[in-house]
Amino acid sequence: MPKIALKKNDLVVVIRGKDKGKQGKVLMLIPETNRVIVERINFSKHFVKADRSRNQQGGVMEKEAPIAVANVMLYCSECGQGVRARTHRHDDGSKSRHCHRCDTLIEKQK
Ligand SMILES: [Zn+2]
């Protein structure tokens, strides 16, 4: 199974496709298909018919569709662009992720 380098709640930027340049927070990882769901990205409206038997109201549903991991990158606010993360290992055994360009701390891990 391919490992997704991103994590839930990471801020990412879309680098390809119709949402190119938009930023959002990772809501869900889908390792099975190597995709992620990003807040407000790849948002699609679809119409749902009312279905009385399932007690479902008709109307417009808006929902994020999964986007390929290859189409997003971790966003660094210092660089103002998508970057790769570099992991630093610390003497106390903890790890942290940093921007590989400017070394800004992105996330501290235990
Ligand atoms: Zn940076």
Side-chain angles (χ1 to χ4, degrees):
M1 196 183 285
K3 190 170 184 314
I4 297 178
L6 299 169
K7 299 185 136 199
K8 205 173 160 183
N9 294 325
D10 275 353
L11 185 65
V12 295
V13 58
V14 181
I15 54 167
R16 254 178 238 139
K18 70 178 168 76
D19 286 325
K20 188 174 169 179
K22 288 190 195 167
Q23 297 156 29
K25 206 167 68 174
V26 174
L27 298 179
M28 196 193 285
L29 304 174
I30 311 168
E32 291 81 5
T33 53
N34 216 16
R35 285 169 182 267
V36 289
I37 291 177
V38 184
E39 191 178 34
R40 308 287 306 177
I41 299 296
N42 211 10
F43 217 55
S44 56
K45 281 186 187 180
H46 53 110
F47 293 92
V48 180
K49 267 198 235 171
D51 184 343
R52 273 169 216 272
S53 62
R54 289 195 297 170
N55 199 22
Q56 182 178 284
Q57 276 194 324
V60 183
M61 296 269 292
E62 288 184 302
K63 196 172 185 299
E64 287 95 352
I67 182 169
V69 171
N71 290 352
V72 299
M73 280 186 95
L74 201 60
Y75 182 76
C76 171
S77 54
E78 287 295 317
C79 297
Q81 66 183 76
V83 297
R84 281 207 305 272
R86 172 193 288 165
T87 302
H88 288 208
R89 286 162 204 281
H90 302 280
D91 293 339
D92 63 359
S94 67
K95 287 190 282 186
S96 56
R97 288 192 301 160
H98 298 252
C99 167
H100 86 292
R101 291 172 62 95
C102 70
D103 220 32
T104 292
L105 176 69
I106 289 169
E107 187 214 25
K108 185 107 172 80
Q109 296 172 292
K110 291 226 171 106

